[in-house]
Amino acid sequence: MNDLVRQHTALGDSDLEWLHLLVSEWQLLSDLSFADLVLWVPTRDGTRYVSVAQMRPNTGPTSYQDDMVGHLVPRGRRPLLDAALDEGRIVREGDPEWREEVPVRVESIPVRREGRVLGVIARNTNLLTVRTPSRLELTYLQSASDLAQMIAAGSFPFPGQQVDMDASPRVGDGLLRLDADGIVQYASPNALSAYHRLGLASDLVGHHLGRATAELAPSRGPVDEALAKVASGWAPREFEIEGGDGVIQLRAIPLKPKGPRIGSLVLLRDVTELRRRERELITKDATIREIHHRVKNNLQTVAALLRLQARRIDSTKGREALEEAVRRVGSIAIVHETLSQNLDERVEFDEIADRVLAMVAEISPGKVTGRRTGRFGILDAEVATPLSMVLTEILQNALEHGFRDGDTGTVEVSAVRGGTSKDARLLITVQDDGVGLPEGFDPHRSGNLGLQIVRTLVEGELGGTFDMVRAPERGTQVILDVPVSADK
């Protein structure tokens, strides 16, 4: 709609925003009218109309099999559009049109904003299935007529009341029609069922909706008076009430076809099961976070026990082996700590990489600094956990074997993501400026435990590749290529 309006018409941004507000609401008008709606806006030179939006009803058959958006019609071909635009009134004159052997009644509703007519809504009703209307259908049509008059007067939609069409109640979910005093004149079967679930034992018709609603909701003192007023339809509001065994969502729409409020529409939907599932998901998320938190605590306890054991061992090699195990356990604990703070099983790995760098730097035999360039981004837990261990082993190996006591140097971790969303890959380079690799060293055949862990995790669990080579100038370079696609 933005492109069509800006390309063909002279409407400004504020006018376009009003049309967006109208389109966010007009599913309501379409369903109440049992009719298709097409929004026509005059072109910049005034010689044609361009259709910028279209809506089909959920309550009846469509009048248009084809998409009308983007069509251009010369002025004069559709007299009802001309009359509504020029005279600023709703035009219903004329005989039904025949489209593909289907009779269609056409009406035109001017769209007014601040005294100006921006465009015209063509309301097209399929007459093929017309029958004697029921009380429900008569209420729908009367409400649609009131809303159409409000659109023509510029009092609907309500400014600042952007509606989420997916989340708000719809006409078929349940509808109440109130008079100016808030007394229910009509209640659809779905609306009555929803109130019965809240605990209402009688009919709604003839009762004051606000007071009936406040009595069904849990007692909240002064809030009850505000709830009663809102439920009576005095202002355009959305709210929820919970009582008995149910939760219902309500939306009040004041009706002011000729200025003063003559009553209101209240759309409502039974959202009991939806809210129950949301609570279950919240409980599940909280449980998962608590599990990660306890795993992290248990891993820290294991690390503390290993550290105590290392202090009691006289063997230097045995103490170093336990200290390496402490760091491996710690890298896994960092991932679980991050997961315990998230709502899903995905983590921002840059923070984990920085913490692993800081943890491993503590064992540096000299004044070696670590830094990270690039971004790892967000990774699934099943990738983040083994990758944190791999990074720990590589950094630990670089600091232990690349530098001697008193050496100064740098270890840099670089991360680059590439590829498509379904075939994304993560290229990781760990480079130091230490003593470099010994002659004839083969990382794929080395018996070093750390490198064995790296090979197993990278090639076996992550499905990536691993290599260790001499750096271009000095030191050692480790290159990891790991798939991180959504499928993985």
Side-chain angles (χ1 to χ4, degrees), residues 334-353:
I334 291 173
V335 177
H336 282 282
E337 181 179 5
T338 305
L339 287 170
S340 69
Q341 301 168 0
N342 294 338
L343 293 177
D344 54 19
E345 292 291 292
R346 295 168 65 81
V347 296
E348 178 63 62
F349 197 80
D350 295 316
E351 178 185 352
I352 294 175

Side-chain angles (χ1 to χ4, degrees), residues 311-458:
R311 292 172 183 170
R312 293 175 176 270
I313 293 181
D314 296 331
S315 169
T316 302
K317 289 186 176 181
R319 186 165 53 253
E320 290 176 351
L322 287 177
E323 288 174 350
E324 288 181 1
V326 167
R327 284 186 286 274
R328 288 167 184 147
V329 172
S331 66
I332 302 175
I334 291 173
V335 177
H336 282 282
E337 181 179 5
T338 305
L339 287 170
S340 69
Q341 301 168 0
N342 294 338
L343 293 177
D344 54 19
E345 292 291 292
R346 295 168 65 81
V347 296
E348 178 63 62
F349 197 80
D350 295 316
E351 178 185 352
I352 294 175
D354 292 340
R355 294 181 63 180
V356 168
L357 261 172
M359 178 182 68
V360 176
E362 295 177 0
I363 67 165
S364 171
K367 297 180 180 179
V368 180
T369 59
R371 66 169 179 261
R372 172 180 60 85
T373 60
R375 293 193 70 248
F376 288 86
I378 296 176
L379 300 178
D380 292 335
E382 63 179 6
V383 175
T385 301
L387 188 57
S388 68
M389 287 195 65
V390 168
L391 196 58
T392 300
E393 296 297 334
I394 293 174
L395 290 171
Q396 183 170 296
N397 188 74
L399 292 173
E400 284 187 352
H401 302 288
F403 301 93
R404 303 182 183 90
D405 291 341
D407 285 352
T408 60
T410 303
V411 177
E412 180 176 336
V413 178
S414 172
V416 178
R417 292 186 75 148
T420 63
S421 58
K422 291 187 176 181
D423 190 26
R425 302 192 72 84
L426 182 61
L427 181 64
I428 305 167
T429 305
V430 180
Q431 182 169 323
D432 65 70
D433 54 3
V435 298
L437 296 174
E439 290 293 333
F441 179 80
D442 185 354
H444 298 284
R445 295 184 179 180
S446 172
N448 179 286
L449 176 60
L451 292 182
Q452 289 181 10
I453 292 174
V454 170
R455 288 199 301 269
T456 301
L457 292 177
V458 172

Side-chain angles (χ1 to χ4, degrees), residues 129-187:
T129 58
V130 170
R131 61 186 185 277
T132 303
S134 64
R135 176 73 188 282
L136 179 143
E137 291 169 334
L138 289 172
T139 303
Y140 279 17
L141 293 172
Q142 179 58 52
S143 302
S145 176
D146 293 336
L147 286 177
Q149 292 183 58
M150 292 171 64
I151 292 173
S155 57
F156 186 83
F158 302 109
Q161 293 287 324
Q162 187 80 27
V163 175
D164 184 349
M165 294 174 62
D166 294 327
S168 292
R170 297 196 176 193
V171 170
D173 296 328
L175 178 140
L176 302 172
R177 172 91 186 205
L178 314 182
D179 65 11
D181 296 323
I183 305 300
V184 179
Q185 295 178 313
Y186 175 79

Side-chain angles (χ1 to χ4, degrees), residues 191-204:
L192 194 57
S193 296
Y195 265 82
H196 284 166
R197 190 163 188 177
L198 287 179
L200 181 71
S202 61
D203 194 359
L204 270 174

Side-chain angles (χ1 to χ4, degrees), residues 78-367:
R78 300 194 178 183
L80 296 186
L81 294 182
D82 298 339
L85 182 69
D86 297 338
E87 301 173 23
R89 64 180 180 88
I90 299 175
V91 183
R92 297 189 176 93
E93 298 87 357
D95 297 327
E97 297 180 3
W98 287 85
R99 300 175 188 162
E100 299 179 358
E101 300 183 356
V102 175
V104 177
R105 183 176 64 243
V106 181
E107 303 167 84
S108 295
I109 305 167
V111 177
R112 191 183 302 274
R113 173 180 178 266
E114 296 180 353
R116 296 183 301 114
V117 178
L118 307 182
V120 179
I121 295 176
R123 181 163 55 179
N124 305 268
T125 306
N126 187 325
L127 301 177
L128 196 60
T129 58
V130 170
R131 61 186 185 277
T132 303
S134 64
R135 176 73 188 282
L136 179 143
E137 291 169 334
L138 289 172
T139 303
Y140 279 17
L141 293 172
Q142 179 58 52
S143 302
S145 176
D146 293 336
L147 286 177
Q149 292 183 58
M150 292 171 64
I151 292 173
S155 57
F156 186 83
F158 302 109
Q161 293 287 324
Q162 187 80 27
V163 175
D164 184 349
M165 294 174 62
D166 294 327
S168 292
R170 297 196 176 193
V171 170
D173 296 328
L175 178 140
L176 302 172
R177 172 91 186 205
L178 314 182
D179 65 11
D181 296 323
I183 305 300
V184 179
Q185 295 178 313
Y186 175 79
S188 72
N190 285 346
L192 194 57
S193 296
Y195 265 82
H196 284 166
R197 190 163 188 177
L198 287 179
L200 181 71
S202 61
D203 194 359
L204 270 174
V205 177
H207 291 78
H208 189 277
L209 181 66
R211 287 194 288 270
T213 303
E215 291 173 0
L216 294 172
S219 178
R220 293 176 294 179
V223 180
D224 290 344
E225 184 177 346
L227 175 63
K229 189 170 184 178
V230 170
S232 299
W234 286 86
R237 291 281 302 276
E238 287 194 24
F239 58 99
E240 283 187 8
I241 62 169
E242 182 173 357
D245 296 325
V247 182
I248 62 174
Q249 179 185 15
L250 297 96
R251 182 188 176 202
I253 304 171
L255 297 176
K256 305 175 181 179
K258 296 181 180 179
R261 190 175 68 88
I262 65 168
S264 56
L265 281 180
V266 177
L267 305 180
L268 57 93
R269 178 172 58 177
D270 186 341
V271 293
T272 306
E273 293 304 315
L274 178 63
R275 296 296 175 257
R276 181 184 63 81
R277 288 195 295 269
E278 287 177 349
R279 292 189 187 105
E280 289 178 352
L281 287 175
I282 292 173
T283 302
K284 179 182 177 182
D285 290 339
T287 302
I288 291 173
R289 290 199 299 271
E290 179 62 22
I291 289 172
H292 284 302
H293 181 71
R294 294 190 181 189
V295 170
K296 182 263 297 184
N297 288 344
N298 290 340
L299 289 173
Q300 289 180 337
T301 301
V302 171
L305 293 174
L306 291 174
R307 195 175 291 110
L308 287 173
Q309 188 66 42
R311 292 172 183 170
R312 293 175 176 270
I313 293 181
D314 296 331
S315 169
T316 302
K317 289 186 176 181
R319 186 165 53 253
E320 290 176 351
L322 287 177
E323 288 174 350
E324 288 181 1
V326 167
R327 284 186 286 274
R328 288 167 184 147
V329 172
S331 66
I332 302 175
I334 291 173
V335 177
H336 282 282
E337 181 179 5
T338 305
L339 287 170
S340 69
Q341 301 168 0
N342 294 338
L343 293 177
D344 54 19
E345 292 291 292
R346 295 168 65 81
V347 296
E348 178 63 62
F349 197 80
D350 295 316
E351 178 185 352
I352 294 175
D354 292 340
R355 294 181 63 180
V356 168
L357 261 172
M359 178 182 68
V360 176
E362 295 177 0
I363 67 165
S364 171
K367 297 180 180 179

